[in-house]
Amino acid sequence: MHMTTALQMNKKIVRRFLLQTQALLERWPAVSLPSGPDQVLSLIRSLGCVQIDPVAAVTGNQHLVLGARDPGYTADSLNSLLSDHKVFEYFANAACVIPIEDYALLEPVRAGLRERLAPSLQGLEKTVQHVLQRLKEEGPLPSRAFRAVDRVSGYWDSADVPKTKDTTLALNLMLDSAVIRVVARRGNERYFHITESELQQQGLTIREDMDVFAQRQALLDKYIHAYRVVDARDPRLGWLKSTAAERRADIAARVSDGRMIPLKVEDVATPYYIRAEDEDLLLHMEREEPHYDPSGPVRFLPPLDNLLWRRERIVDLFDFQYKWEIYTPEVKRTYGYYAMPILHGDRLIGRMDPRLDRKTGVLTVRLLSMEETAPPVEEWINDFREGLQFFATMHGARSIFIEKTVPKELKKQLKSI
């Protein structure tokens, strides 16, 4: 048994440690060259995985996450990693881009979905066979390449309104069951192919001798690597369905054998945990505290950014309440449909709600709303101007228009953008 005394730690240090492990604390180089696929892959590996989302107020979530961390990021790098089979798309935190070497780890998730979706797939057997036959003969195809024989109710449709192509439903069910996978993207359009036997040849299938418990623990390791500062109450812990008691037991076992260390964060009631191998970095950051520079690039984080996955943790460590208002009726929204938290140094200082019009090249900020607790404006305004211009350029905008700011007088100070 190891000592399980909690490590007492100041909230600021834990916050910076989390940002550091999320690749969000470093200053950017003065000149950033375009990053190649290898750099992007290395970033995805360090994050564990990156969530994919089709909502594109500016561009897809995965591109915004990677672009907030790598000033040389381009979507082409991610697309080439996918078509070169260096990454794959599947459910981890949700639908995610994951390094291909983790393919086997997701077997418990695939097994659960295969079992749950088998009856639905059987009900579409003819369509499924037709789709598989075409993929076998023609290679990767997008959804639009298939003509519907029938209209059915997809699980995303309102009840009993058959308006989805049977081929689209079949593709989605086969994708979730891992019969097929996404092998390329052109913009938001996905190209599907049969999950190749080459995955087996690369030894990427789950080892037969690995029992369910070992599989589950391997996936929990992956989750802990991605989250870094973990609490046992998270219903997503380990990315598999589990009870609160199972989650507590999993963490307790790791603490008792010394793989994890409990953290007592000052002024925070929730018990948090870090990996034992991360203790040195945390203590190093505590020693470096006097030299910390609170300025730095302003980064805009998308609603499904890795940092925001556990909202309670954001409240605890950043004193910042965040809710994605996409599902809130428009009249009830406070910050906007795609409000992106603004990170300056180690603080979340506000939100911006952007829209990019690709035809005109205009990035419109519908609302820029700063926190009442944000530092004085002169401490961040220059970094903000620079950050917003960089963000606009990175995503192909040629000009920026700010519609509304809170506080109001901020709009005048940003006239020069």
Side-chain angles (χ1 to χ4, degrees):
M1 282 285 279
H2 284 254
M3 289 287 289
T4 55
T5 320
L7 195 57
Q8 305 276 333
M9 198 52 69
N10 175 307
K11 184 191 290 199
K12 275 189 203 154
I13 309 297
V14 181
R15 182 164 84 205
R16 278 175 213 155
F17 163 80
L18 179 61
L19 290 168
Q20 179 75 33
T21 57
Q22 289 276 342
L24 286 168
L25 201 62
E26 294 293 316
R27 295 194 76 87
W28 281 349
V31 179
S32 50
L33 300 167
S35 296
D38 288 352
Q39 278 161 284
V40 175
L41 180 58
S42 149
L43 177 55
I44 295 169
R45 282 181 176 142
S46 81
L47 291 170
C49 56
V50 174
Q51 207 161 321
I52 307 162
D53 193 72
V55 176
V58 176
T59 182
N61 184 78
Q62 62 275 33
H63 303 305
L64 293 168
V65 168
L66 294 165
R69 291 160 171 81
D70 176 359
Y73 172 76
T74 62
D76 289 348
S77 289
L78 184 59
N79 293 339
S80 71
L81 288 173
L82 186 62
S83 42
D84 292 344
H85 311 299
K86 301 273 180 69
V87 296
F88 69 104
E89 296 184 3
Y90 204 61
F91 299 102
N93 203 60
C96 284
V97 177
I98 308 162
I100 197 77
E101 63 266 22
D102 291 334
Y103 189 84
L105 285 184
L106 275 295
E107 183 55 27
V109 182
R110 288 191 290 269
L113 277 164
R114 275 197 297 269
E115 194 179 330
R116 204 172 85 220
L117 299 176
S120 307
L121 273 170
Q122 278 157 7
L124 279 171
E125 197 164 354
K126 264 191 176 154
T127 313
V128 166
Q129 290 314 319
H130 162 71
V131 168
L132 287 174
Q133 192 58 38
R134 282 201 56 197
L135 290 174
K136 201 176 276 180
E137 288 166 7
E138 299 171 52
L141 292 170
S143 181
R144 68 183 159 82
F146 297 93
R147 288 182 52 195
V149 180
D150 214 350
R151 294 275 160 181
V152 292
S153 283
Y155 49 79
W156 50 82
D157 289 331
S158 51
D160 306 322
V161 183
K163 59 180 180 193
T164 295
K165 283 161 58 175
D166 55 351
T167 48
T168 300
L169 181 60
L171 283 166
N172 275 283
L173 292 169
M174 285 194 281
L175 191 62
D176 291 356
S177 308
V179 176
I180 60 173
R181 64 190 192 102
V182 176
V183 292
R185 279 182 180 261
R186 313 265 180 276
N188 248 349
E189 187 171 48
R190 301 175 297 177
Y191 282 70
F192 306 100
H193 202 20
I194 298 161
T195 300
E196 309 90 327
S197 55
E198 83 191 41
L199 283 180
Q200 277 120 13
Q201 285 156 17
Q202 289 175 33
L204 290 167
T205 45
I206 201 81
R207 294 205 323 271
E208 293 301 318
D209 61 346
M210 209 177 185
D211 64 20
V212 175
F213 178 76
Q215 286 179 16
R216 212 189 165 92
Q217 295 306 310
L219 195 55
L220 181 53
D221 285 339
K222 172 80 181 165
Y223 165 99
I224 292 165
H225 166 80
Y227 274 73
R228 288 302 176 84
V229 177
V230 174
D231 73 290
R233 298 173 193 179
D234 184 359
R236 281 181 173 170
L237 189 84
W239 293 324
L240 283 169
K241 282 210 169 82
S242 58
T243 64
E246 284 170 327
R247 293 194 290 272
R248 284 195 300 272
D250 275 330
I251 296 292
R254 280 171 155 67
V255 170
S256 92
D257 67 15
R259 281 179 292 163
M260 292 195 83
I261 296 171
L263 276 190
K264 173 72 193 82
V265 186
E266 193 185 346
D267 300 328
V268 171
T270 307
Y272 282 96
Y273 303 85
I274 59 163
R275 307 180 313 169
E277 62 261 47
D278 284 337
E279 184 182 12
D280 284 350
L281 175 60
L282 185 64
L283 294 172
H284 170 75
M285 297 192 84
E286 186 179 36
R287 286 193 300 276
E288 289 299 304
E289 155 75 0
H291 312 294
Y292 176 72
D293 173 6
S295 70
V298 161
R299 293 171 160 106
F300 302 96
L301 307 179
L304 299 171
D305 191 273
N306 300 39
L307 185 72
L308 305 173
W309 281 348
R310 183 80 174 125
R311 303 278 198 256
E312 293 81 349
R313 185 177 66 173
I314 293 299
V315 176
D316 283 345
L317 300 182
F318 291 82
D319 302 302
F320 187 86
Q321 297 276 354
Y322 183 69
K323 177 190 176 193
W324 189 11
E325 297 181 323
I326 189 169
Y327 304 113
T328 306
E330 194 161 356
V331 293
K332 293 186 177 168
R333 286 178 191 150
T334 309
Y335 300 107
Y337 160 85
Y338 207 78
M340 297 178 72
I342 301 165
L343 179 68
H344 180 240
D346 67 342
R347 297 179 67 168
L348 292 168
I349 62 170
R351 297 164 176 81
M352 85 158 173
D353 182 30
R355 296 290 180 285
L356 176 59
D357 185 328
R358 296 211 167 270
K359 286 197 186 80
T360 61
V362 178
L363 178 74
T364 302
V365 177
R366 306 284 276 284
L367 174 64
L368 172 63
S369 177
M370 306 312 290
E371 293 285 280
E372 284 178 14
T373 54
V377 68
E378 56 276 8
E379 284 184 28
W380 52 263
I381 190 94
N382 290 336
D383 287 338
F384 178 85
R385 272 200 197 95
E386 211 173 285
L388 186 57
Q389 277 163 344
F390 187 85
F391 178 85
T393 307
M394 175 180 246
H395 299 295
R398 293 185 298 279
S399 63
I400 301 164
F401 176 62
I402 298 174
E403 279 184 4
K404 186 181 171 195
T405 65
V406 174
K408 271 195 188 122
E409 56 274 17
L410 188 56
K411 195 169 172 177
K412 284 193 196 77
Q413 291 170 278
L414 292 168
K415 271 275 187 286
S416 60
I417 285 189

